[in-house]
């Protein structure tokens, strides 16, 4: 595999493994690259939030970075919002379907809770 660089800060991406699933994490800003379906698979595996060692404040800072390219195929990535957790913004590659979470976002994504679900159901309700 070619050496990958962080799409946000250009730091090196290191391989980290949890439950035999290999992801890439930036050694600088601690953002995480997931190949297609890895984030969804890891969301269901207990303890996988330990992959996300970064500080949410750092991740929030990197949310401000504009257009980024996929670290795998160099395609311009699309900004996405998690429907049940609209405070989580991440980037997805329209070609290889990889996902980039900034520091703290995967842990937050994994900890979707009852209140997130309630907000999703009733967020558009009028009084």
């Amino acid at each position: 595999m070619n050496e990958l660089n962080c799409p946000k800060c250009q730091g090196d991406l290191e391989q980290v493994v949890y439950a035999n699933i290999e992801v890439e994490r930036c050694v600088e800003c601690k953002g995480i690259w997931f190949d297609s379906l890895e984030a969804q698979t890891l969301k269901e595996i207990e303890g996988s939030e330990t992959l996300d060692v970064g500080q949410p404040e750092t991740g929030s800072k990197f949310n401000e970075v504009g257009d980024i390219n996929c670290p795998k195929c160099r395609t311009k990535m699309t900004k996405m919002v998690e429907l049940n957790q609209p405070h989580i913004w991440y980037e997805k590659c329209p070609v290889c379907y990889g996902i980039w979470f900034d520091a703290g976002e995967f842990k937050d994504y994994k900890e979707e809770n009852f209140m997130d679900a309630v907000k999703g159901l009733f967020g558009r309700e009028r009084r």
Side-chain angles (χ1 to χ4, degrees):
M1 181 172 88
N2 294 336
E3 187 163 319
L4 301 178
N5 290 96
C6 175
K8 295 285 182 105
C9 77
Q10 307 311 309
D12 290 334
L13 297 184
E14 65 178 348
Q15 296 175 345
V16 290
V17 178
Y18 191 88
N20 294 319
I21 298 173
E22 184 180 286
V23 300
E24 287 75 31
R25 182 174 59 211
C26 180
V27 298
E28 301 293 326
C29 72
K30 306 301 183 198
I32 306 173
W33 171 258
F34 297 90
D35 289 329
S36 180
L37 300 178
E38 287 177 341
Q40 293 89 333
T41 300
L42 283 164
K43 184 176 186 175
E44 304 303 320
I45 298 174
E46 187 174 332
S48 63
E49 66 277 359
T50 60
L51 288 168
D52 193 350
V53 298
Q55 297 299 314
E57 298 78 27
T58 302
S60 293
K61 181 177 79 172
F62 281 101
N63 266 339
E64 304 303 316
V65 174
D67 294 342
I68 65 169
N69 292 326
C70 173
K72 292 268 180 166
C73 69
R74 309 304 306 155
T75 303
K76 181 181 171 189
M77 296 181 71
T78 305
K79 285 197 180 277
M80 307 288 287
V81 175
E82 182 61 23
L83 290 177
N84 291 334
Q85 296 169 282
H87 59 281
I88 299 177
W89 289 64
Y90 61 95
E91 289 81 18
K92 185 170 187 170
C93 179
V95 174
C96 70
Y97 305 109
I99 294 176
W100 179 262
F101 279 116
D102 293 317
E105 289 177 338
F106 178 68
K107 192 175 284 184
D108 193 359
Y109 169 74
K110 184 160 173 24
E111 293 173 355
E112 178 181 349
N113 62 32
F114 177 73
M115 287 310 296
D116 289 324
V118 169
K119 288 177 197 169
L121 288 174
F122 297 106
R124 296 187 184 133
E125 185 178 288
R126 294 183 188 194
R127 289 185 168 209

